[in-house]
Amino acid sequence: MSKEYWGFDTEKEQTGFLAGVVDVLSDELSLSCRGFTTLDADIFFIEDGDISKLEESFKKRLLSYMRCYSYYTADDVNSLRLGLKRHDCDIRQYLRDSIDSSYTSSEKARAAADKFLRDISRYLGEPDSIYLLDDNSDVAFNTNRAVSGAYMGIIFGAYFITFKHHDYALMMIFGTSE
C-alpha cells in the first residue's frame, strides 16, 4: 500500500525517486521471507542528515498516506513519539539477523539481505547507523498501530538505517499482511 505517488506530492523529487528504488529492492528482499511474513521499507528525507528531524519527516509522510489508507486520525499521528535510540552494531549483520531470527534461517535470506544493502548503497552510499524505536510498550504500540495503517496488517518491528554523507533514513518494517 505504501509509496503511492500522492504520498510524495509535498516531497522533493529525489525522495520520490528513491522511494521507488527502495520499494523495488524491498519487494525483492521480501521474497526471502517465509510463509505469511513480509517486510516493507520506506525512505525519509532528513535535512542535513540530522536524525532529530526524522520524526517530523515520518509524521508528515504518514499523514499523506493516511488520507486514503488508514482508520487513524491526524491526532493519532501527531501524538507519535518514536523515541529513537542509536544501536551500535554491524548493520549488514543486523539486517541478516532480523530476517533470520524472525522469518527464516535460509542461506537465501542472508544472501538477499546482503544484496539489498549492496544495491541500496549504490543510491545512498554506505550505511552508517541503525536507530531502533523506543521499546516502551505504549510508544511501541502507538507507533506500530499507526504504521500498520499505512504499510501492512500487523507490525512485528521496525527500525531506521541512516547513511554516511546522505540526508535520508531508510525504515525497515517487518510483519504480516495476513
Side-chain angles (χ1 to χ4, degrees):
M1 273 195 274
S2 61
K3 293 172 280 313
E4 300 290 346
Y5 71 92
W6 43 260
F8 295 87
D9 58 358
T10 61
E11 302 263 0
K12 295 178 177 228
E13 293 167 353
Q14 178 74 8
T15 304
F17 169 77
L18 289 172
V21 169
V22 166
D23 195 31
V24 169
L25 295 177
S26 66
D27 283 352
E28 184 178 330
L29 180 58
S30 72
L31 294 175
S32 67
C33 294
R34 177 181 45 177
F36 297 105
T37 58
T38 191
L39 64 89
D40 202 352
D42 206 349
I43 192 89
F44 298 89
F45 177 75
I46 48 175
E47 188 175 341
D48 301 322
D50 182 353
I51 197 68
S52 69
K53 297 178 181 179
L54 177 56
E55 187 171 292
E56 179 183 331
S57 182
F58 176 74
K59 288 178 182 183
K60 178 181 169 186
R61 179 78 53 71
L62 279 183
L63 288 170
S64 290
Y65 288 161
M66 289 184 176
R67 290 186 301 199
C68 293
Y69 284 149
S70 183
Y71 302 107
Y72 309 113
T73 67
D75 288 340
D76 292 328
V77 174
N78 289 325
S79 68
L80 289 178
R81 299 293 172 261
L82 298 179
L84 297 172
K85 296 178 184 176
R86 185 180 171 145
H87 182 62
D88 292 320
C89 64
D90 178 308
I91 295 169
R92 286 175 180 9
Q93 188 61 47
Y94 194 86
L95 180 58
R96 286 183 207 121
D97 291 347
S98 296
I99 294 169
D100 285 350
S101 64
S102 299
Y103 304 102
T104 181
S105 59
S106 74
E107 197 59 42
K108 177 182 173 185
R110 288 189 291 280
D114 290 346
K115 182 181 182 320
F116 174 80
L117 284 175
R118 187 175 53 251
D119 290 347
I120 202 72
S121 293
R122 290 185 184 134
Y123 296 92
L124 295 170
E126 281 301 306
D128 182 47
S129 300
I130 285 187
Y131 289 87
L132 304 178
L133 301 175
D134 189 329
D135 58 4
N136 171 296
S137 60
D138 289 338
V139 172
F141 175 79
N142 289 333
T143 302
N144 287 345
R145 186 176 136 227
V147 171
S148 70
Y151 294 94
M152 64 183 68
I154 299 171
I155 305 295
F156 299 150
Y159 55 86
F160 292 89
I161 300 173
T162 58
F163 297 84
K164 294 177 183 173
H165 314 297
H166 225 290
D167 295 342
Y168 288 93
L170 175 67
M171 181 172 66
M172 301 298 300
I173 311 153
F174 299 90
T176 183
S177 56
E178 299 300 318

